Amino acid sequence: MTFYPAAAPPDGDRRTAKQKIAAYLEPWLYSAPVLILIVAIMLVPLALGISYAFRDIRLLNPFSGAFVGLKHFRELAGDGAFRGALVNTLWWTFSSVILQFLFGLILALLLNRPFRGRALAQALCFLPWAVPSFLSGLDWAWMFNPVVGPIPHWLYALGILSEPSNILSDPETAMWGPIVANVWWGIPFFAITMLAALQAIPKDLYEAAEIDGAGPIERFRSITVPFLAPTMAISILLRTVWIANFADLIIVMTNGGPADRTQIVASYIFTQAFRRLDFGYASAIALVLLVLLLAYSMLIVVLRQTMLTRH
Amino acid sequence: MASITIQSITKTFGTVPVLHDIDLSIADGEFVVLVGPSGCGKSTLLRMIAGLEDITGGEIRIDGRRINEVAPKDRDIAMVFQSYALYPHMTVADNMSYSLKLRKTARERIAEAVGAAAGKLGLDPLLERRPKALSGGQRQRVAMGRAIVRHPKAFLFDEPLSNLDARLREQMRAEIKRLHKAIGATSVYVTHDQIEAMTLADRIVAMHGGIIQQVGNPLDLYDRPANLFVAGFIGSPAMNFVDGHCRSGAIETDDGSRIAVPGGIDLAEGQAVTVGIRPEHVRIVAGSGAGSYTARVDLVEPTGFGTIVHVRLLGQDLKIYTLERGAAEVGEPLHIALDGDRLHVFDRETTNRIG
Amino acid sequence: MTRKRIVLTVLHRLAILAYVAFALFPLFWLLKVSVTPTSLLYTEGIRLWPSRASLEHYAFVLTHSSFPTFFLNSTIVSASTAVIVTIVAALAGYAMSRFVFRGKYWIVGLLLLTQMFPLVMLIAPMFKMLSPLGLTNSLTGLVIVYVAFNVPFATFLMQSFFDGIPKDLEDAAMIDGATRFTAFRQIILPLTLPGIAATLGFVFTAAWSELLFALMLISGNQATTFPVGLLSFVSKFSVDFGQMMAAGVLALIPACLFFLLIQRYLVQGLTAGAVKG
Ligand SMILES: Nc1ncnc2c1ncn2[C@@H]1O[C@H](COP(=O)(O)OP(=O)(O)O)[C@@H](O)[C@H]1O
Ligand SMILES: [Mg+2]
């Protein structure tokens, strides 16, 4: 007597191993160029840069290259210019972000109500964003220059300055130069993101609230703010990191001076690498900046989690 | 033209099973409708036939040839999508001829085929337009035209009429039926609308939760639903269900009324059952008599042709569909009879039909 | 009530006007100085428009300086970067939009990571890596670097454009007889053209503005890009304000042209990674 096993259902997939591998690899083939580029031109230098932080690498010294352990970091601990740059970075980052955000939000609210010529006004208000950053820096540096720029004369006329001088060359006021340029250049970023978020709020919510008797301030508080909050939070966080790393305006307008009063960490790194060609020290500073930014991002994530769990 | 055999098909998305052991044979030239509530796996099954989803287990054959590993383009089938999926950057003519161009058909043959299809669907004046410049109904026609130009082995339809308004839907439904009669191609049609299923199908496949509930011709499903799901799904207004137990030869409902057990049905004493009766099979009778019930009218919904009367009976909101106008007034008593041979009895345990 | 309305409307328009003035004034000033003859620059001070406008600075910049070369270099670098980035990002963005595959989240994570760390970090190692390959002081080297920097953001951007195209269209094409790649080429790409144009614009502007890496990697006039050229001009001849600003206006022109191109897509561009400032 023979036993026949119950007919097993046919298997769904009888492709050959080669066909299966081809199907599996398809998305990887599409992504491969991007991955190769990022690994070769961003991750490898990143790893190299981290290793430089522990080595003596000076471009003009062919005998440099030795492993020096934590030497750079010890130097860094005693480097007054670096400490100054840290403070300047905080000052630069937070005043830029806060001002960009506030004015960007106001601009978005202004542009959110219909009026004749809105499209044109919007395009003109957003135009600074398209101006290359180096040109924004130069342009504002010229605006602050009493020889060709109007601003010192206006400030003098208003009694703010005792004589029409360049605020960029006064250590007390120099930082305001790059900050003003940065605000001018960055308002559109916040205005654009906020405007998009505003336009995504369903209009009937406002109508319902109005019927329920809510005034304009109450409507703003109970509808606009909660709807905008997530966009605000995300764009502020990302922007903070971005601006902390953004050295172009400072390099162009003041080069960190006068007396290092506008030097931020990112521009300090550039100065060490570009002017002093001390790649080892520059990389050590860069590593510290990286760690600080990571810590900041972590802090944000943790804050977000605790806020989410509390609700 | 072709037959389609679906054998022991299963499908899982990640770890979520969506289709369980589907078996179905579709004969050459047959019009089969897959019907079921949304999310039951109809589209997934259709897309597996088309080759747009991998087959987790089982086998699909077209004309006896296993096609599990065949790319969609080599299956020689056409599909009409719910969204129509017309190529926005091509004219109607280009949309219709795209498949033929890909197959390197000679230009004269393409023009001929497009012309013929356009003629059948009344698309001639629209051939040079872009989809954006068409109304919903016209887009639907173009989608149909794109499917029929190349005389595929089988047509697949995924809710092709769902985006049309009611009137247009009726019109297109009739047109699809006419086209099928003319072309005679094997068709698999997915819908959640039981009226579409009833009117179009040679055979209906009722699905629920990734399982085939019943396969049969439309009137079979209407007359002898295999289980509670099919009974409730097919028919509008939906079937009335009354829960009860078998007590001394009759069905005693939960509110204590008794319904005679229809002939030919054996029930065990105490067996939990559900009795189903279609609203159109509840009779309104002149006076109370043996086997009739009396209830107060709760609500009257005239539909124009007929009237849906709601009464409170057998512990239920019982619906009655009647063609007589003015047969019931809200608040008035109504006498009702249930015909034994119109009753459906289901085992409450298995939900399957008894008898 | 209507009085209040009118007051509010007037205030609103005034505020808009103030913003427009704030946004445009520095650019206006740039233009004004660039057409002010040197002889009038110091005597007329802060007049809003010179009593006599002239194009002499433009003529000088275009004929007697290296700016035309710089302009050409920048155009070559930015255009090549934009084209390469867009092609590469279109492929990857398509994969991110259309395939479900293990490893996708790793790729997204990797792309996001590149947006978080300070790019100045890479200046030193990049120089060390490119110099033995002969890629410092060369436009090719700059293009390679710029391509890598812009590819993550462009990938997210392209993905968002692909996400906007219904998947049904490809399914329909594949049933009509196309392979996936044919469907990508003949159906999806043509529909993504506006998105591709926008991506080209975003990347072009980004490459056109890049300064720090160009400063580090380029030292000879041959391969100098516009930002580097302008900056060294400023530090060498810092009294020729008219010429500097004329050069500045020239640098502004392509940026403004591309701004027109991408204006409709600003929101998508800024949210696609919130990177390019
Ligand atoms: N790509 C997918 N990934 C995960 N789950 C899916 C996918 N497609 C469909 N499903 C799930 O499979 C089930 C059946 O879907 P579908 O076949 O579209 O249903 P129907 O067409 O009957 O409405 C649904 O629960 C749906 O959520
Ligand atoms: Mg479906």
Side-chain angles (χ1 to χ4, degrees):
Chain A
M1 219 166 118
T2 342
F3 286 96
Y4 293 102
D11 46 341
D13 190 348
R14 268 187 222 152
R15 289 173 300 173
T16 60
K18 210 164 134 192
Q19 283 171 314
K20 276 185 200 170
I21 290 172
Y24 179 81
L25 283 183
E26 200 178 356
W28 290 101
L29 287 179
Y30 284 97
S31 334
V34 163
L35 290 179
I36 292 170
L37 277 167
I38 288 179
V39 171
I41 305 176
M42 296 190 81
L43 293 194
V44 170
L46 180 66
L48 266 182
I50 293 175
S51 80
Y52 287 179
F54 304 95
R55 288 167 63 189
D56 171 28
I57 302 231
R58 277 165 298 159
L59 194 59
L60 295 183
N61 183 348
F63 301 108
S64 65
F67 180 77
V68 293
L70 296 178
K71 175 166 165 282
H72 293 315
F73 295 96
R74 276 193 297 273
E75 257 173 64
L76 209 48
D79 184 348
F82 173 67
R83 250 173 291 139
L86 273 180
V87 176
N88 289 340
T89 304
L90 288 179
W91 183 224
W92 151 258
T93 308
F94 288 111
S95 37
S96 298
V97 170
I98 289 168
L99 291 174
Q100 283 185 1
F101 170 72
L102 272 184
F103 287 116
L105 180 62
I106 295 173
L107 179 57
L109 289 170
L110 289 174
L111 288 173
N112 192 35
R113 52 162 56 201
F115 58 93
R116 219 144 45 94
R118 176 164 74 166
L120 179 66
Q122 181 171 322
L124 293 179
C125 288
F126 291 173
L127 186 61
W129 175 86
V131 176
S133 49
F134 69 90
L135 191 60
S136 317
L138 282 176
D139 195 8
W140 277 97
W142 293 328
M143 297 277 289
F144 285 121
N145 186 329
V147 178
V148 284
I151 294 179
H153 303 281
W154 292 345
L155 292 180
Y156 172 66
L158 289 173
I160 298 171
L161 290 181
S162 53
E163 50 169 345
S165 62
N166 193 340
I167 65 162
L168 294 178
S169 41
D170 178 350
E172 290 306 314
T173 53
M175 189 54 123
W176 284 109
I179 290 178
V180 168
N182 196 9
V183 170
W184 177 78
W185 191 67
I187 286 176
F189 171 85
F190 279 107
I192 292 163
T193 37
M194 292 298 142
L195 189 59
L198 277 174
Q199 285 170 348
I201 303 177
K203 291 285 164 288
D204 42 2
L205 278 184
Y206 288 103
E207 283 155 18
E210 197 166 355
I211 290 166
D212 287 346
I217 296 176
E218 178 58 24
R219 289 199 297 264
F220 181 77
R221 205 184 60 77
S222 60
I223 301 174
T224 312
V225 173
F227 262 89
L228 286 191
T231 314
M232 288 186 194
I234 292 176
S235 45
I236 289 181
L237 297 184
L238 289 175
R239 209 54 189 168
T240 308
V241 174
W242 197 89
I243 287 180
N245 289 329
F246 181 45
D248 295 29
L249 290 178
I250 288 180
I251 302 274
V252 167
M253 293 178 76
T254 62
N255 225 332
D260 276 347
R261 289 300 286 269
T262 60
Q263 193 76 278
I264 64 169
V265 178
S267 63
Y268 193 50
I269 296 170
F270 182 77
T271 310
Q272 291 297 328
F274 178 64
R275 302 231 185 282
R276 294 190 32 207
L277 300 174
D278 188 345
F279 287 2
Y281 196 55
S283 297
I285 309 171
L287 190 57
V288 173
L289 178 59
L290 179 66
V291 170
L292 289 177
L293 289 175
L294 281 181
Y296 170 80
S297 309
M298 290 301 218
L299 183 73
I300 298 299
V301 170
V302 171
L303 270 182
R304 213 184 91 97
Q305 284 303 328
T306 48
M307 254 154 57
L308 281 182
T309 45
R310 199 176 317 146
H311 278 286
Chain B
M1 302 301 125
S3 65
I4 301 174
T5 317
I6 293 166
Q7 193 190 342
S8 308
I9 283 291
T10 56
K11 174 74 185 174
T12 52
F13 282 113
T15 55
V16 186
V18 171
L19 292 176
H20 309 267
D21 204 16
I22 303 282
D23 279 297
L24 184 65
S25 286
I26 299 167
D28 186 7
E30 197 177 14
F31 199 112
V32 168
V33 175
L34 304 179
V35 68
S38 88
C40 73
K42 313 173 297 281
S43 296
T44 305
L45 182 57
L46 195 75
R47 292 167 59 82
M48 285 163 87
I49 300 174
L52 300 172
E53 299 282 357
D54 289 338
I55 296 169
T56 309
E59 190 165 79
I60 298 180
R61 294 169 174 276
I62 294 182
D63 270 344
R65 170 177 167 237
R66 176 184 157 103
I67 50 141
N68 287 34
E69 290 80 22
V70 178
K73 71 184 179 73
D74 301 320
R75 295 191 185 194
D76 196 15
I77 36 134
M79 182 156 166
V80 179
F81 293 79
Q82 178 173 0
S83 63
Y84 313 139
L86 301 180
Y87 311 127
H89 57 306
M90 297 185 188
T91 61
V92 168
D94 289 339
N95 262 283
M96 286 168 62
S97 58
Y98 184 62
S99 60
L100 297 175
K101 278 186 194 138
L102 286 171
R103 287 180 169 70
K104 308 244 185 314
T105 312
R107 189 167 302 172
E108 313 80 66
R109 296 276 311 282
I110 292 182
E112 207 174 288
V114 170
K120 273 194 198 114
L121 289 158
L123 291 173
D124 291 306
L126 308 177
L127 282 176
E128 290 315 311
R129 291 216 201 148
R130 293 276 167 90
K132 210 191 285 173
L134 300 178
S135 69
Q138 291 170 331
R139 287 179 203 180
Q140 214 286 326
R141 269 166 207 277
V142 176
M144 299 276 300
R146 191 171 66 180
I148 64 174
V149 272
R150 62 173 224 257
H151 301 290
K153 282 190 177 153
F155 289 106
L156 309 178
F157 301 86
D158 193 352
E159 312 226 8
L161 306 183
S162 296
N163 289 345
L164 299 179
D165 62 46
R167 179 184 302 269
L168 215 49
R169 197 179 311 162
E170 251 169 51
Q171 192 185 328
M172 282 312 293
R173 199 172 71 201
E175 205 154 325
I176 290 176
K177 188 150 190 170
R178 227 172 276 131
L179 264 174
H180 179 249
K181 289 276 172 288
I183 302 175
T186 314
S187 305
V188 186
Y189 187 107
V190 162
T191 178
H192 64 265
D193 176 1
Q194 51 100 20
I195 307 256
E196 254 170 55
M198 294 293 285
T199 49
L200 283 170
D202 293 331
R203 232 166 11 125
I204 292 182
V205 178
M207 291 178 62
H208 182 49
I211 295 169
I212 293 185
Q213 304 290 323
Q214 187 173 5
V215 181
N217 70 45
L219 295 180
D220 268 350
L221 266 74
Y222 178 81
D223 290 338
R224 295 184 56 81
N227 56 33
L228 276 175
F229 168 78
V230 178
F233 193 80
I234 302 283
S236 167
M239 190 184 275
N240 297 298
F241 292 117
V242 182
D243 284 345
H245 288 85
C246 176
R247 296 257 183 268
S248 44
I251 296 165
E252 191 179 298
T253 64
D254 295 349
D255 75 330
S257 316
R258 289 174 73 82
I259 302 172
V261 178
I265 292 180
D266 287 327
L267 296 177
E269 180 70 13
Q271 187 177 357
V273 296
T274 298
V275 177
I277 176 87
R278 294 200 182 275
E280 55 271 39
H281 296 153
V282 182
R283 276 189 302 125
I284 299 175
V285 291
S288 62
S292 78
Y293 305 83
T294 306
R296 216 162 273 284
V297 174
D298 221 14
L299 181 71
V300 176
E301 297 176 295
T303 64
F305 179 59
T307 308
I308 303 168
V309 181
H310 295 246
V311 297
R312 193 80 211 153
L313 188 67
L314 306 171
Q316 290 276 317
D317 171 36
L318 195 83
K319 284 168 297 198
I320 304 166
Y321 189 71
T322 171
L323 297 184
E324 264 175 71
R325 290 189 183 180
E329 295 279 343
V330 174
E332 297 294 308
L334 197 65
H335 307 291
I336 286 161
L338 306 176
D339 290 347
D341 54 349
R342 300 283 208 181
L343 292 183
H344 309 265
V345 182
F346 303 94
D347 186 314
R348 230 190 298 165
E349 207 71 24
T350 63
T351 77
N352 286 336
R353 177 186 193 84
I354 304 172
Chain C
M1 189 61 214
T2 46
R3 272 274 302 271
K4 200 174 143 200
R5 243 276 133 115
I6 291 170
V7 171
L8 280 179
T9 310
V10 169
L11 282 180
H12 176 254
R13 299 301 188 278
L14 282 180
I16 296 269
L17 220 60
Y19 260 104
V20 172
F22 176 59
L24 294 189
F25 189 77
L27 300 177
F28 164 75
W29 200 258
L30 191 69
L31 188 72
K32 178 232 151 183
V33 176
S34 77
V35 297
T36 305
T38 313
S39 53
L40 298 182
L41 193 56
Y42 304 106
T43 54
E44 294 199 343
I46 57 169
R47 271 178 66 141
L48 279 186
W49 197 250
S51 52
R52 182 170 63 81
S54 93
L55 294 178
E56 65 186 55
H57 302 309
Y58 289 92
F60 180 86
V61 163
L62 288 176
T63 52
H64 294 284
S65 74
S66 308
F67 276 109
T69 317
F70 302 159
F71 198 91
L72 189 67
N73 285 342
S74 262
T75 308
I76 293 172
V77 169
S78 308
S80 330
T81 305
V83 170
I84 299 173
V85 166
T86 305
I87 292 172
V88 169
L91 290 172
Y94 179 73
M96 310 301 276
S97 168
R98 289 305 200 252
F99 289 90
V100 185
F101 60 108
R102 246 177 289 162
K104 181 163 153 181
Y105 292 96
W106 284 103
I107 298 182
V108 172
L110 184 71
L111 294 185
L112 284 179
L113 176 77
T114 61
Q115 304 304 314
M116 293 302 279
F117 71 77
L119 285 183
V120 275
M121 247 191 117
L122 304 185
I123 284 188
M126 196 75 89
F127 185 88
K128 288 282 263 188
M129 273 174 66
L130 293 182
S131 118
L133 301 173
L135 289 175
T136 51
N137 231 346
S138 100
L139 295 183
T140 319
L142 273 191
V143 170
I144 293 176
V145 173
Y146 291 176
V147 164
F149 287 177
N150 285 294
V151 128
F153 140 81
T155 301
F156 287 127
L157 188 58
M158 283 309 300
Q159 180 190 352
S160 78
F161 287 120
F162 286 125
D163 284 346
I165 294 174
K167 214 167 165 333
D168 276 358
L169 289 182
E170 272 155 299
D171 288 347
M174 290 200 283
I175 287 176
D176 269 350
T179 60
R180 180 179 282 281
F181 192 69
T182 310
F184 174 66
R185 264 188 326 119
Q186 298 185 343
I187 307 296
I188 304 303
L189 272 189
L191 295 175
T192 327
L193 276 183
I196 289 177
T199 307
L200 281 171
F202 275 105
V203 178
F204 187 97
T205 345
W208 185 267
S209 318
E210 209 289 328
L211 172 69
L212 300 190
F213 280 78
L215 270 178
M216 185 76 216
L217 296 177
I218 304 292
S219 46
N221 248 0
Q222 279 317 296
T224 298
T225 57
F226 208 95
V228 177
L230 188 55
L231 210 61
S232 55
F233 188 83
V234 168
S235 44
K236 265 186 238 150
F237 313 96
S238 56
V239 284
D240 285 322
F241 283 106
Q243 286 161 26
M244 292 190 297
M245 297 209 190
V249 171
L250 292 181
L252 197 56
I253 291 170
C256 286
L257 288 181
F258 278 94
F259 179 70
L260 288 182
L261 180 68
I262 56 187
Q263 223 221 345
R264 275 181 53 208
Y265 300 96
L266 286 183
V267 174
Q268 237 163 327
L270 292 190
T271 40
V275 248
K276 161 74 175 85

